[in-house]
Amino acid sequence: MPHSSSDTPAPRSPGSVPEAGFDALVAEAEAAPVDGWDFSWFEGRATEERPSWGYQRLLAGRLADPAVRAALDLQTGGGEVLAGAGPYPPAMAATESWPPNLARATRLLQPRGVVVVAGPEEPPLPFADGAFDLVTSRHPATVWWPEIARVLAPGGTYFAQHVGPETVFELSEFFLGPLGGEVRRLRHPEAERAQAEQAGLEMTDQRTERLRMEFHDIGAVVHFLCKVVWTVPGFTVEAYRDKLRELHGRITTEGPFVAHSTRTLVEARRPA
């Protein structure tokens, strides 16, 4: 699952999942806030392996480069990742469109000197051509390659961690049934490379890893589906109560539900 900039929560020991029944677990999960990208609520209830490269650490190095005078973080969420990656270049901006995340990011980043801009996720971005030496993003919902190329200065870099293909498909298919080949090809690294090159960027680094996830109780599943809404589009507890009850029984008798995420590290350069 997506996780906060802190270490991934440790799994519960066998038999230590919450003792509450199905209804109590579901109600607790529905009541939990879903704003921001702080995943500490999952402590002990779900785990995900982290990519080996350490995106936030690498991001901090890019932001500290003295050659970077202006940087932009796209779809910053609640600002948690960027907040832990400072110090920043002289000009630092971030965008976010979802109002709860926008408010959270503003509270977190503005005191650090970051200009947080409210705006839609689709083009055009409210910035001039060639405005930034560095554009970054962690888990953008959509990657608008031509717009990224437009706001990058000549010689500038796009550095990001993308959600890769077939992420959490085990969970999606449990609720939705088999997903077709076209859906499985979305976010494929080869397709992203072609899109970046078509926008005039040179892909200088691209690495993909498949990572194990575990959900230790049905509350963790519900909260994940409420927070990461594209996993099961239109998810509500009432619409999927029977499937949730089925999955609760499976976790109770067989142990954690196992899925996998895919993450791709991306670095692309606009030619000078």
Side-chain angles (χ1 to χ4, degrees):
M1 80 192 68
H3 38 66
S4 70
S5 58
S6 59
D7 290 339
T8 304
R12 292 178 183 268
S13 58
S16 65
V17 296
E19 295 297 329
F22 173 80
D23 290 332
L25 288 168
V26 169
E28 178 191 9
E30 282 193 292
V34 296
D35 60 315
W37 289 113
D38 177 2
F39 284 76
S40 59
W41 189 90
F42 290 97
E43 179 73 43
R45 309 181 72 152
T47 61
E48 180 187 11
E49 290 182 287
R50 304 196 68 164
S52 62
W53 50 73
Y55 174 74
Q56 190 179 52
R57 174 181 56 82
L58 295 177
L59 173 61
R62 301 304 192 281
L63 292 170
D65 184 344
V68 174
R69 305 295 296 171
L72 170 66
D73 191 52
L74 295 172
Q75 302 179 42
T76 198
E80 297 89 352
V81 174
L82 184 60
Y88 309 120
M92 182 78 231
T95 67
E96 177 56 36
S97 62
W98 193 44
N101 276 351
L102 178 64
R104 187 182 182 111
T106 301
R107 290 193 301 269
L108 189 59
L109 296 174
Q110 198 169 61
R112 293 168 165 82
V114 179
V115 177
V116 181
V117 179
E121 293 181 350
E122 66 272 7
L125 293 169
F127 306 106
D129 296 359
F132 299 100
D133 305 301
L134 176 68
V135 175
T136 65
S137 193
R138 180 180 178 272
H139 302 174
T142 304
V143 182
W144 301 100
W145 291 104
E147 194 67 356
I148 291 167
R150 182 185 69 79
V151 300
L152 274 174
T157 296
Y158 174 65
F159 181 71
Q161 180 173 292
H162 291 176
V163 176
E166 299 186 34
T167 288
V168 208
F169 266 34
E170 297 93 339
L171 193 59
S172 298
E173 292 191 326
F174 180 86
F175 290 96
L176 301 174
L179 299 174
E182 184 176 349
V183 178
R184 291 183 176 277
R185 288 190 293 271
L186 292 174
R187 302 176 181 270
H188 194 282
E190 290 181 5
E192 291 200 324
R193 176 183 289 272
Q195 291 160 5
E197 291 174 349
Q198 186 174 10
L201 301 176
E202 299 173 350
M203 192 71 76
T204 57
D205 193 7
Q206 191 179 39
R207 293 175 253 168
T208 299
E209 292 183 1
R210 191 82 170 152
L211 306 160
R212 181 183 174 92
M213 306 169 64
E214 294 185 358
F215 295 89
H216 291 258
D217 69 74
I218 198 62
V221 172
V222 169
H223 186 55
F224 181 85
L225 294 178
C226 290
K227 194 174 183 75
V228 190
V229 295
W230 49 85
T231 307
V232 178
F235 171 82
T236 66
V237 168
E238 288 311 307
Y240 289 96
R241 184 171 291 274
D242 290 344
K243 292 295 290 183
L244 288 168
R245 196 176 292 277
E246 177 188 342
L247 185 53
H248 171 67
R250 173 173 163 178
I251 293 172
T252 301
T253 57
E254 300 178 14
F257 182 87
V258 176
H260 296 83
S261 65
T262 305
R263 300 289 181 258
T264 301
L265 185 72
V266 175
E267 189 162 21
R269 179 178 176 271
R270 178 179 171 181

